[in-house]
Amino acid sequence: MISRWLQNLTTTHFALRRHFPRATLSAIDAVITASERAHRGEIRFAGETALPVGELFGGITSTARAAAVFSGLGVWDTAENNGVLLYVLLAERRIEIVADRGFAGRVAPEEWAGICREMEAAFRAGRYEAGTLAALERISALARRHFPADGEDRNELPDRTVLL
């Protein structure tokens, strides 16, 4: 518990910018934009340096924080309930995927977890951009399978990365 607090209290915003520089953020945004032309899903990426102090001391988990970010960004607010949030909590090196109810029964929780574990492995190897882009491609593949493009470009949510 103390190590978790120390991780969150000592990880600075500089670390987030070092691992996700402007060029990487632009690449993430471009991949999301291109991806959404091939399916009807909506994908958001949010990176956070550390948990806010109140949430950290309140015992909020990365999973609960990701759900709150999902809600706060309105990822749930799509016509087909097909939004997906890829969330990174850098201080704890945790990755979470929150998918709206349109994916329920279509994508097994283990499949989402597998994407997260692969991304975490890439991060451990220092491959933040490659790991993120590979995860986004896997999420996009799932969206293409379950929500293929129908010729209409809806783009209901911004494609731009959010840094918290």
Side-chain angles (χ1 to χ4, degrees):
M1 186 139 162
I2 290 200
S3 66
R4 181 174 189 239
W5 291 353
L6 287 174
Q7 288 171 323
N8 279 275
L9 294 173
T10 61
T11 303
T12 66
H13 194 66
F14 174 75
L16 186 66
R17 284 299 190 174
R18 183 167 37 95
H19 295 307
F20 292 95
R22 191 168 309 213
T24 297
L25 298 177
S26 293
I28 291 167
D29 294 347
V31 164
I32 292 171
T33 298
S35 158
E36 289 184 358
R37 290 187 190 115
H39 57 76
R40 297 185 324 272
E42 292 292 327
I43 301 172
R44 295 295 316 261
F45 175 78
E48 187 161 33
T49 303
L51 288 173
V53 174
E55 293 186 12
L56 176 65
F57 288 108
I60 299 297
T61 64
S62 61
T63 303
R65 178 63 178 160
V69 171
F70 177 89
S71 177
L73 294 177
V75 181
W76 55 268
D77 192 17
T78 61
E80 295 185 67
N81 300 309
N82 57 3
V84 178
L85 173 68
L86 177 59
Y87 170 81
V88 172
L89 178 58
L90 189 63
E92 297 181 19
R93 296 194 183 6
R94 297 282 307 174
I95 292 130
E96 305 286 346
I97 295 175
V98 182
D100 205 351
R101 62 189 177 271
F103 283 96
R106 298 178 186 203
V107 178
E110 298 79 25
E111 197 160 4
W112 296 122
I115 295 170
C116 294
R117 299 305 77 85
E118 287 176 11
M119 193 171 168
E120 288 168 355
F123 283 14
R124 280 192 300 276
R127 297 181 296 112
Y128 288 83
E129 182 174 339
T132 302
L133 297 180
L136 288 169
E137 179 48 44
R138 288 200 50 206
I139 293 167
S140 180
L142 292 169
R144 283 192 308 270
R145 182 181 324 142
H146 301 293
F147 297 96
D150 61 4
E152 184 180 334
D153 185 11
R154 292 182 187 87
N155 204 14
E156 299 174 78
L157 299 174
D159 299 338
R160 196 163 173 83
T161 297
V162 176
L163 297 181
L164 304 164

